[in-house]
């Protein structure tokens, strides 16, 4: 248990990690903060060390050299690569699931199989490991669209909704034959198309107890009105318009607790944050996908609302003591609007100076989370697809969104692109 001020290393360098670091920094038990690799905004709160999030041995070495009391592994790739397993082997305290548990996100074939085995509601599906078998299955289908998903990680872009048999064939060809997502496309899941509003619930779990956070919703497409390509997320807000206390009770009984128990029964006890992407279908809530970590940008809308000591919760998750914890949330809504480089998620240019950051950050209740930024000759410049996210509070989501847009209006950089409908009910 962490009882005194502790130095902490956070793995990652996006907006989500900035939100995690900001919340850690508010804890009375937070000592010096480090980030691998961090970004220009994170550098104001933590020492950034140029070690990649996927360089597991580099992270272990950094944690040792800096003698940190905790390593928080935030992104999916290092979790799947076994960062927490390696840190545990070295006797370094780490937050995040071990790789066996992170399979919940790392393999759709695994997560769908688990849901089927334990009766957790999700879309019905078939698995294919040869393109020929997948093509002939597609030909037999008479109901479209169908949803085709690469088995492994695909930067949030591995799910394709195919409206026609031709589009389904194209999708299979690009995933399985052309391997646009690399080995993630060795196998595919083809599943039934579901309808209904979506919402996201992040939850802390210590492997036995699960405590949901406040609900959220993200906006995945690049353009207004959910048009354009899928991105990592162009904005998010909390709470969801649809997630009622009754629905939460139902999700606890039918989805959340069964998932935690199933993972334990499979010998893959999950300690960390589970991200439930839910679709509220006419037949009830169903799991669209799991992630094994905080979402980005969901974290930038949910974590600012956390009022309890983050380090106390992290500690309880690691030690299996979550049942003794009461988590308090700010009743105000929060909304984050992402500003991206023009062209993202396809090709884009970087290196442009960002102005107005201080002015935006000084607005009451607003905060600028950096994602793809770096310092160059004393200026803050763009360095990635998603550049930053501005979060603000409000009495409800529309007010929070209006405040976030107002703060964002202070900021500019060349080719800046953002959606104008974040926070709108859909
Ligand atoms: P995923 O990468 O699995 O989160 O899927 C990305 C998006 O595709 C989801 O947020 C949904 O909007 C959509 N989607 C995924 N699976 C289905 C499904 N079975 N039915 C309808 N839409 C889906
Ligand atoms: N915003 C979706 C994710 O983090 O996976």
């Amino acid at each position: 248990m962490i009882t005194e001020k502790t130095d902490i290393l956070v793995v990652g360098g996006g907006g989500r990690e900035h939100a995690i670091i900001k919340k850690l920094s508010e804890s009375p038990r937070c000592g010096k903060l480090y980030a691998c690799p961090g970004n220009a905004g994170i550098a104001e709160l933590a020492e950034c060390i140029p070690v990649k999030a996927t360089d597991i041995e580099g992270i272990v070495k950094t944690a040792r050299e800096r003698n940190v009391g905790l390593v928080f592994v935030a992104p999916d790739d290092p979790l799947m690569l076994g960062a927490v397993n390696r840190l545990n082997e070295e006797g370094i305290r780490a937050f995040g699931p071990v790789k066996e548990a992170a399979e919940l996100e790392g393999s759709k074939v695994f997560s769908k199989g688990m849901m089927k085995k334990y009766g957790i509601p999700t879309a019905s599906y078939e698995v294919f490991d040869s393109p020929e078998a997948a093509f002939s299955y597609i030909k037999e289908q008479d109901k479209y669209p169908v949803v085709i998903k690469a088995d492994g990680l695909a930067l949030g872009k591995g799910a394709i909704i195919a409206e026609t048999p031709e589009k389904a064939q194209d999708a299979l060809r690009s995933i399985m034959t052309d391997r646009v997502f690399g080995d993630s496309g060795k196998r595919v899941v083809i599943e039934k198309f579901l309808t209904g509003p979506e919402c996201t619930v992040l939850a802390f779990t210590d492997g036995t107890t699960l405590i949901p956070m406040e609900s959220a919703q993200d906006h995945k497409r690049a353009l207004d009105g959910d048009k354009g390509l899928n991105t990592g997320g162009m904005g998010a807000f909390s709470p969801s318009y649809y997630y009622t206390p009754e629905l939460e009770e139902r999700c606890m009984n039918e989805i959340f607790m069964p998932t935690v128990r199933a993972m334990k029964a499979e010998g893959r006890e999950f300690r960390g944050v589970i991200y439930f992407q839910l679709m509220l279908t006419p037949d009830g809530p169903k799991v669209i996908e799991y992630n094994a970590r905080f979402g980005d940008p969901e974290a930038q809308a949910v974590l600012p609302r956390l009022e309890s000591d983050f380090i106390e919760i992290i500690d309880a998750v690691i030690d299996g003591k979550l049942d003794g914890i009461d988590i308090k949330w700010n009743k105000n809504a929060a909304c984050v609007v992402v500003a991206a480089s023009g062209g993202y998620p396809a090709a884009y240019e970087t290196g442009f100076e960002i102005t107005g950051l201080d002015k935006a950050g000084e607005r009451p209740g607003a905060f600028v989370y950096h994602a793809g930024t770096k310092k160059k000759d004393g200026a803050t410049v763009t360095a990635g697809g998603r550049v930053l996210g501005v979060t603000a509070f409000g009495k409800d989501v529309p007010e929070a969104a209006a405040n976030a847009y107002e703060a964002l209006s202070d900021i500019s950089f060349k080719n800046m692109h953002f959606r104008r409908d974040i926070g709108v009910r859909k």
Side-chain angles (χ1 to χ4, degrees), residues 1-2 29 93 310-320:
M1 217 180 100
I2 298 173
R29 289 188 267 177
R93 204 168 163 77
F310 195 20
I311 295 182
E312 188 182 341
I313 302 169
I314 290 169
D315 236 0
V317 165
I318 297 174
D319 293 335

Side-chain angles (χ1 to χ4, degrees), residues 108 112 123 147 149 156-159 161 191-195 198 218 220 230 277 279 288-289:
K108 295 254 195 278
K112 294 292 286 190
V147 184
K149 296 183 178 181
K157 296 167 197 160
I161 296 171
E191 66 179 36
K192 192 175 160 207
F193 179 74
L194 303 175
T195 53
E198 288 185 61
D218 74 344
K220 284 201 170 70
N230 257 326
Q277 179 75 30
M279 190 169 273
I288 289 286
E289 71 159 353

Side-chain angles (χ1 to χ4, degrees), residues 4 20-21 52 99 107 123-124 147-149 164 224 243 246 255 267 308 321-322 330 332 334 374:
E4 30 188 80
I20 289 166
I21 283 173
K52 277 207 236 154
K99 70 168 186 256
S107 168
S124 54
V147 184
I148 300 177
K149 296 183 178 181
T164 61
D224 288 8
Y243 194 70
E246 298 73 46
I255 295 175
S308 303
K321 299 204 168 123
L322 203 53
N330 185 325
N332 283 309
K374 66 175 189 191

Side-chain angles (χ1 to χ4, degrees), residues 44-58:
E44 289 176 18
L45 296 167
E47 182 182 330
C48 295
I49 300 162
V51 170
K52 277 207 236 154
T54 48
D55 176 2
I56 308 301
E57 293 314 314

Side-chain angles (χ1 to χ4, degrees), residues 237-241 333-335 394-403 422-424:
F237 57 87
S238 169
S240 148
Y241 287 106
C335 180
K395 66 175 185 314
D396 53 19
V397 172
E399 189 179 286
N403 291 338
I422 303 300
V424 172

Side-chain angles (χ1 to χ4, degrees), residues 4 21 39 52 121 137 140 173 194 226 263 301 319 413:
E4 30 188 80
I21 283 173
N39 61 37
K52 277 207 236 154
Y137 175 80
E140 290 161 17
R173 205 168 292 123
L194 303 175
D226 290 333
M263 291 301 283
D319 293 335
F413 55 86

Side-chain angles (χ1 to χ4, degrees), residues 211-264:
I211 306 181
M213 300 182 216
E214 291 288 313
S215 63
Q217 190 178 326
D218 74 344
H219 297 263
K220 284 201 170 70
R221 300 293 195 100
L223 307 175
D224 288 8
D226 290 333
K227 303 266 183 339
L229 295 171
N230 257 326
T231 69
M234 292 299 292
F237 57 87
S238 169
S240 148
Y241 287 106
Y242 302 102
Y243 194 70
T244 58
E246 298 73 46
L247 187 58
E248 172 150 293
E249 198 184 329
R250 188 164 178 191
C251 290
M252 271 305 257
N253 294 330
E254 295 178 12
I255 295 175
F256 305 162
M257 289 314 297
T259 300
V260 169
R261 287 193 290 264
M263 291 301 283
K264 198 171 198 171

